[in-house]
Amino acid sequence: MTANITVNNRTYRWMDRPLVVVCLDGSQFEYISAAVAAGSAPFFSRILAGQGTCLVADCVMPSFTNPNNLSIVTGVPPSVHGISGNYFYDPQTGEEVMMNDPRHLRTGTILAAMADAGARVAVITAKDKLRKLLGHKLKGICFSSEKADQLTMAENGIEGILERIGMPIPSVYSAALSEFIFAAGVNLMERERPDVMYLSTTDYIQHKAAPGTPIANEFYAMIDRYLARLDALGATIVVTADHGMNAKHDAKGEPNVIYMQDTLDAWLGTGFARVILPITDPYVVHHGALGSYALVYLPSDVDQTGLRSRIAALAGVETVLARAEAAAQLELPADRIGDIVIISRQDTTLGTSRSRHDLSGLDAPLRSHGGTSEQKIPLLANRTLKDPPGNRRWRNFDAFDLGLNLVN
Ligand SMILES: [Zn+2]
């Protein structure tokens, strides 16, 4: 057996059975508890009944997909790994860029370190946008269900997965995109039996359907069936989420939005301030790029204190922080956030300009994330804790610590 392994100043015991860490995108705790209450999720039911570990943890801010997936696989917050959003503005180059490229990553992953130390590692994501970050310097299997028909040994460490599991390539906007991950994960566990597996789904269903709805319960029932199979195959399973999900619309079903670019243009003159929404990604149909977190970039000679108070007074705004405060309080890299960080309330989103948001694809009242109101997420395991949980602040990026060090 290999000795312990230390990554980003955290030490992990070598696995004595396979470890599967699952990130259920957009899993507000209530999705799981409602599916259990409906009798749709016997595997989760056992965990919630005490036959495993059931903790409520905090995800990292902003409560978006990329920063949190990278926190889970590095064991550290964005201030260390550098991925501060799905999208960021680089004032040095004046460019707005997606944060999908490993050049933005400032530290290595637990996955790559374990593979280097001899573990067989497999990573399966929903969307291909995450694959390169999660697979950074990883010697092992790494692919997305989105591009599962284009695998090569050189790029992905595996081929022919469609034929193996007998599912067609799923649409990028579907529950099947996530189901494919689990079907492939079970197949790998049966055939290759990886030592470590990281499965990361997409929140297409959660953006559309509230906890306890038939669509949501059916989705969690599907997940539950696959997790039960991984459990039966003898793996330690840790389930967490990248962020929660809340309704962000009014009684008529219209999204609650503060268009910050329009507001600042009216206050300060057009284009004086630049509003960036780090939720932005190429797949915006299901949320219209509306979340509860926005950054404001300003010329250096502005009275920011006065402006912050004015923004804080807007109805629907929860928190307004200066760059240094935000970096310290929210564990963010100061050079990759705005001069001002705005977080809106649970029921409200922040936009840029009304004209820049295409909401035509929203076929259900808006549900989204990004704020502190989506920070509470589940941290579950199919084995019990060795010691009582104590009053530590559990984080989703404790997932590997939990699975390797803390459970029986
Ligand atoms: Zn997400």
Side-chain angles (χ1 to χ4, degrees), residues 26-151:
S27 272
Q28 192 83 14
F29 206 104
E30 289 77 9
Y31 281 108
I32 295 172
S33 48
V36 166
S40 308
F43 170 80
F44 284 122
S45 176
R46 288 194 294 276
I47 291 177
L48 269 55
Q51 294 174 41
T53 300
C54 178
L55 300 163
V56 177
D58 285 330
C59 75
V60 304
M61 282 292 292
S63 49
F64 293 138
T65 300
N66 288 16
N68 276 285
N69 269 273
L70 271 297
S71 281
I72 295 167
V73 302
T74 59
V76 288
S79 51
V80 181
H81 64 63
I83 304 299
S84 56
N86 300 341
Y87 183 83
F88 91 120
Y89 171 62
D90 184 351
Q92 236 91 68
T93 61
E95 281 182 311
E96 296 180 19
V97 287
M98 300 304 303
M99 270 196 153
N100 293 347
D101 195 307
R103 74 190 156 92
H104 298 122
L105 200 48
R106 291 177 166 162
T107 188
T109 69
I110 301 165
L111 301 165
M114 287 184 164
D116 285 342
R120 286 164 306 158
V121 178
V123 175
I124 314 175
T125 71
K127 296 174 188 171
D128 208 59
K129 66 173 185 178
L130 255 179
R131 179 183 59 87
K132 280 210 165 76
L133 285 172
L134 294 175
H136 184 47
K137 295 194 172 161
L138 170 65
K139 296 191 207 77
I141 295 171
C142 184
F143 66 95
S144 67
S145 46
E146 180 185 0
K147 298 263 169 80
D149 58 343
Q150 298 166 35
L151 307 188

Side-chain angles (χ1 to χ4, degrees), residues 23-27 63-66 68-69 86 129 201-203 207 242-245 369:
C23 177
L24 295 181
D25 197 327
S27 272
S63 49
F64 293 138
T65 300
N66 288 16
N68 276 285
N69 269 273
N86 300 341
K129 66 173 185 178
T201 63
T202 175
D203 55 9
H207 272 289
D242 55 348
H243 53 78
M245 187 74 71
H369 52 95

Side-chain angles (χ1 to χ4, degrees), residues 177-211:
L177 195 72
S178 293
E179 175 162 10
F180 192 99
I181 294 167
F182 292 108
V186 167
N187 186 283
L188 289 183
M189 191 54 73
E190 284 168 349
R191 289 183 50 174
E192 278 84 1
R193 201 166 173 84
D195 300 303
V196 181
M197 195 148 67
Y198 183 67
L199 308 178
S200 181
T201 63
T202 175
D203 55 9
Y204 170 79
I205 291 293
Q206 293 85 347
H207 272 289
K208 281 190 175 313

Side-chain angles (χ1 to χ4, degrees), residues 260 264 275 292-296 311 314 317-321 340-344 350:
M260 274 317 302
L264 294 174
V275 175
S292 292
Y293 178 87
L295 305 176
V296 181
I311 297 170
L314 291 168
V317 167
E318 181 178 278
T319 308
V320 181
L321 297 170
I340 296 177
V341 172
I342 312 173
I343 299 164
S344 57
L350 299 162

Side-chain angles (χ1 to χ4, degrees), residues 7-21:
V7 187
N8 299 326
N9 293 316
R10 299 185 71 167
T11 300
Y12 303 94
R13 280 181 47 213
W14 197 253
M15 65 297 299
D16 49 16
R17 61 175 86 87
L19 171 67
V20 181
V21 174

